[in-house]
Amino acid sequence: MKRLPRVDIRRALPALFLLVLAVVANTAELKAPATFLPPPNDHLRHVLETPVSGDFHAADIREVFGNLFGQLRINLIFKREKKAPPTFTGNFDRVPFRAALFRILQSTGYTAEWTTRPDGAQVISIHD
């Protein structure tokens, strides 16, 4: 029977501490200010709080929005005037949609607001 190698606790503890610190720091980053995209009703508040996940590496911004909005089945108006759409790199693991959207918008320079369609439905409008 083979023996498992001994773990030097003096080396393992600092690594574990750094891992926990990184996870806590990443979670703290993914918060959006209360004034960002306040929901106009309870249904949309629930949508904004829905957890989303995605792993993006220099992904076209249209792909990023398509992936995240596809997880929620919510309508989006995306107006792009920039000649070369920006890319986004980031990883979201079951974070509130509102926090993920805030981080993406900060990174790409886009803004978001609620827009009312002619039929009265509320949609998120993203533009530069």
Side-chain angles (χ1 to χ4, degrees):
M1 187 173 355
K2 289 186 177 184
R3 295 179 78 190
L4 294 174
R6 292 187 76 179
V7 176
D8 183 0
I9 201 77
R10 290 175 291 175
R11 290 185 184 172
L13 273 174
L16 180 61
F17 174 75
L18 290 175
L19 176 65
V20 170
L21 186 62
V23 169
V24 170
N26 190 32
T27 303
E29 285 178 21
L30 295 177
K31 291 188 179 181
T35 56
F36 172 70
L37 207 61
N41 58 48
D42 287 338
H43 170 70
L44 293 174
R45 179 183 326 281
H46 174 71
V47 169
L48 292 176
E49 294 170 357
T50 302
V52 294
S53 298
D55 189 16
F56 307 102
H57 299 281
D60 183 291
I61 194 66
R62 295 168 293 198
E63 176 188 335
V64 174
F65 287 141
N67 179 297
L68 294 180
F69 277 80
Q71 292 178 46
L72 300 174
R73 295 190 178 111
I74 186 172
N75 292 322
L76 161 73
I77 297 173
F78 181 53
K79 298 176 184 175
R80 177 180 60 94
E81 295 180 14
K82 297 178 181 184
K83 296 201 190 280
T87 59
F88 176 77
T89 298
N91 182 1
F92 306 114
D93 186 21
R94 300 197 47 76
V95 301
F97 171 72
R98 189 167 163 268
L101 181 61
F102 181 74
R103 182 169 165 204
I104 293 166
L105 296 178
Q106 277 190 317
S107 175
T108 59
Y110 285 97
T111 58
E113 62 188 2
W114 292 106
T115 303
T116 304
R117 293 189 322 202
D119 65 359
Q122 296 282 325
V123 296
I124 296 176
S125 176
I126 297 176
H127 50 86
D128 36 12

